Amino acid sequence: MNIIDNAAVSQHLAHVRIVMVNTTLPANIGSALRAMKTMGLSKLVLVAPKTYPHPDIDALAAGATDLIEQIEIVESLEDAIKDCHLVFGTSARTRTIPWPLLDARPAAQKSMNAVLNEQQEIAVVFGREDRGLTNEELAMANYHVTIPVNSDYGVLNVAQAIQIISYEMRMATVELMDKEVDPDAVMKVTDEEAMHWDEPLVTHEQMEQFYPHIEKMLADIEFMDPKNPRLLPLRLRRLFGRIQLDKMEYHLLRGIFTRVQALNNGTWKKSKTKEDQPNA
Amino acid sequence: MNIIDNAAVSQHLAHVRIVMVNTTLPANIGSALRAMKTMGLSKLVLVAPKTYPHPDIDALAAGATDLIEQIEIVESLEDAIKDCHLVFGTSARTRTIPWPLLDARPAAQKSMNAVLNEQQEIAVVFGREDRGLTNEELAMANYHVTIPVNSDYGVLNVAQAIQIISYEMRMATVELMDKEVDPDAVMKVTDEEAMHWDEPLVTHEQMEQFYPHIEKMLADIEFMDPKNPRLLPLRLRRLFGRIQLDKMEYHLLRGIFTRVQALNNGTWKKSKTKEDQPNA
């Protein structure tokens, strides 16, 4: 194993933010900071914490007080992840619509690949102590991530889960940097890892304009009943969420939706030469 | 990914004991039990604990009370490990005498290999909260094991370290059992292979009907010129190729294409009620 520069590891890990939603116990925020700092993560975003600030945060954070100063407080999950490219929602339970689900290790490998090769911003979102994330919050994620545990016992508390996710993020970073440092190392990269993308990827915020557009288009052509869309919006999020569209693809698809809408409401007409041809 | 029998995992992990030497805080013993149980480990040996029993142990152990009953108390490290085949000493510091040192992950892989293939008994020994293991105690170990951390910050507390060691032991067990269940399984699973999915994915053959369909639809609505499609077909393949559609998504998208085509050639018309409404 090569010698890895600790500061460089932390620099990569600065692109991974931990997001805690509606946390009740300040002690859990403090423990989370400590867990993050032991592994070199630095960015914690709190979505509407129940109690903040609180001396328990400082007490449990031990020496990680510099991270307390960097905490970002926002009002909604939307605000916490809007500039992120890849969002993981943590989920212990099986949901009605299964989402693309990764174990902590491949999720961390995917994340750090995206950071090192494409400077992506990553978020891992943790829910409330008692009931986790809502289905709406989980639907904002590209992937769900789970930590394999003893199913006869139950789940980790939120600080323990952050500890293991942070550990896997660090391990994945060191592994990738090791590969870079040693040119003779066998590059067991998958297609996805090997792919250096030519176009920048769209952010979560842009995708939040994408979904209303495709839904409106499908409502226009009566493929979806907006009053009773059933599982369709969720299926679309699951499908396009795991693609990670680049900007050109994004504009390509939105262009198609706009054309279909214009065709549907008569503001766009087929050109003369084609008008008499049957479309099979 | 194969379905792994949780009870069988725990049975293998029963051969791994966690040994805590001269622990001062009962809360750390309780937290250690909880950390172990979440990962399926069950055997804790305490070498001359400072305070035992203590209500904090029960409080922090949460639902892991069955493990409290199984705790073994001994007077010396020698007694704790005498029937073990492979002993790891945890060490954060570099010692005067270098010892064979493994990171947590390869240490866990080595351990579980020894359990599954040779029914060995494994011990991982953790030291005092303030000063770890003595040189004499470390010298009783076959290997030293370390958890990679942010060296600018410091070390994990003993319960956090037990959490990560236990997690790696579980991961190594599941990985080995996976290989046993499926002899053809490739060890290095890719993201996609590691992902649990509810619907079967479509085959390459089905996708070869998908692309002509979307291209024909786009030609119909004159979004693409079939005589000069430029890079569009390639972009669509790159986009949908990396999704790996499942069957339901596949039929959903092809249903949308068919609707657009029918709208375009007039074989499908909007319902009466909608006809007068403008479509934004």
Side-chain angles (χ1 to χ4, degrees), chain A residues 6 37-38 105 150 152 163 167-168 221-222 238 242-244 246 248-249 259 265 279, chain B residues 6 37-38 105 150 152 160 167-168 221-222 235 238 242-244 246 249 259 265 271 279:
Chain A
N6 192 54
K37 183 141 186 179
T38 51
R105 186 163 304 166
N150 172 13
D152 293 336
Q163 177 76 73
Y167 167 71
E168 286 288 9
I221 64 171
E222 293 175 23
R238 185 173 86 163
R242 75 179 191 274
I243 287 190
Q244 285 205 284
D246 70 33
M248 187 169 310
E249 292 168 339
R259 168 63 55 90
N265 67 20
N279 290 292
Chain B
N6 193 54
K37 183 142 185 178
T38 52
R105 186 163 303 167
N150 171 13
D152 294 337
Q160 290 171 318
Y167 167 72
E168 286 289 9
I221 64 171
E222 293 177 22
R235 290 202 180 278
R238 189 174 81 161
R242 74 177 189 277
I243 288 190
Q244 284 209 288
D246 70 32
E249 292 166 339
R259 168 62 57 89
N265 68 19
S271 58
N279 291 291

Side-chain angles (χ1 to χ4, degrees), chain A residues 256, chain B residues 212-222 257 260-261:
Chain A
I256 295 171
Chain B
H213 193 179
I214 189 170
E215 288 173 25
K216 180 71 175 69
M217 182 273 286
L218 292 175
D220 285 355
I221 64 171
E222 293 177 22
F257 305 157
V260 171
Q261 289 180 302

Side-chain angles (χ1 to χ4, degrees), chain A residues 262-273:
Chain A
L263 170 71
N264 184 63
N265 67 20
T267 56
W268 178 82
K269 292 221 185 288
K270 285 193 288 172
S271 60
K272 278 263 183 280
T273 48

Side-chain angles (χ1 to χ4, degrees), chain A residues 19-233:
Chain A
V19 180
M20 296 175 81
V21 178
N22 288 171
T23 311
T24 301
L25 293 176
N28 282 335
I29 297 172
S31 298
L33 287 172
R34 186 184 172 168
M36 289 168 60
K37 183 141 186 179
T38 51
M39 296 303 162
L41 280 77
S42 52
K43 190 167 185 180
L44 178 64
V45 183
L46 301 177
V47 178
K50 299 283 185 193
T51 315
Y52 186 88
H54 191 280
D56 279 4
I57 297 176
D58 305 68
L60 272 292
T65 36
D66 55 323
L67 298 201
I68 297 181
E69 288 153 29
Q70 294 175 53
I71 286 179
E72 203 181 318
I73 314 275
V74 295
E75 276 311 302
S76 68
L77 177 55
E78 194 60 54
D79 288 338
I81 60 176
K82 63 183 173 198
D83 60 330
C84 289
H85 304 93
L86 186 54
V87 176
F88 291 90
T90 53
S91 165
R93 287 175 280 162
T94 317
R95 306 279 164 171
T96 32
I97 287 205
W99 214 253
L101 177 68
L102 292 173
D103 280 354
R105 186 163 304 166
Q109 286 160 348
K110 187 175 189 67
S111 298
M112 298 319 302
N113 252 314
V115 170
L116 270 77
N117 295 324
E118 296 162 34
Q119 289 77 49
Q120 290 189 31
E121 288 291 321
I122 316 295
V124 189
V125 185
F126 294 82
R128 296 149 195 87
E129 285 97 334
D130 53 347
R131 53 203 175 82
L133 295 168
T134 65
N135 285 335
E136 292 68 36
E137 288 162 348
L138 279 166
M140 289 186 199
N142 300 97
Y143 292 85
H144 292 169
V145 56
T146 188
I147 297 170
V149 292
N150 172 13
S151 56
D152 293 336
Y153 178 53
V155 296
L156 297 161
N157 72 31
V158 66
Q160 291 172 318
I162 289 172
Q163 177 76 73
I164 285 172
I165 293 286
S166 301
Y167 167 71
E168 286 288 9
M169 290 287 178
R170 182 177 192 84
M171 291 296 287
T173 307
V174 171
E175 205 172 88
L176 281 167
M177 288 172 71
D178 243 3
K179 275 196 275 184
E180 277 180 10
V181 171
D182 181 2
D184 296 330
V186 185
M187 294 280 279
K188 289 244 172 178
V189 289
T190 63
D191 284 356
E192 205 159 352
E193 286 171 328
M195 196 156 48
H196 286 266
W197 213 247
D198 52 338
E199 280 281 319
L201 299 178
V202 296
T203 62
H204 177 81
E205 199 171 25
Q206 286 171 300
M207 285 309 283
E208 290 307 317
Q209 293 160 30
F210 178 90
Y211 295 115
H213 193 180
I214 189 169
E215 288 173 25
K216 181 72 175 70
M217 183 272 286
L218 292 176
D220 286 355
I221 64 171
E222 293 175 23
F223 193 87
M224 181 182 86
D225 179 358
K227 295 206 184 74
N228 180 26
R230 296 187 303 171
L231 292 173
L232 196 52

